[in-house]
Amino acid sequence: MALPLHDEAFFARVFLEMGAPAWPNGYDADPSYIRAKLEMAGALHTEGAPA
């Protein structure tokens, strides 16, 4: 379902649903899932972020 997000016009149709970015095709980007994936990949850097 994420494939349509490659189209800039479709990607621009984003809206918030319960605090998560979502698109009309039902795809959503759950912030908790994204954070967990970044942490697992070692790609989350929080140096200098407020505690």
Side-chain angles (χ1 to χ4, degrees):
M1 290 182 96
L3 189 59
L5 300 181
H6 289 273
D7 174 28
E8 288 184 38
F10 188 80
F11 185 84
R13 296 176 61 190
V14 66
F15 60 93
L16 290 179
E17 185 173 289
M18 297 178 59
W23 286 266
N25 66 350
Y27 183 81
D28 65 45
D30 176 17
S32 299
Y33 175 78
I34 294 170
R35 180 181 180 93
K37 293 296 270 186
L38 289 171
E39 286 176 341
M40 287 190 304
L44 185 63
H45 304 286
T46 58
E47 296 86 22

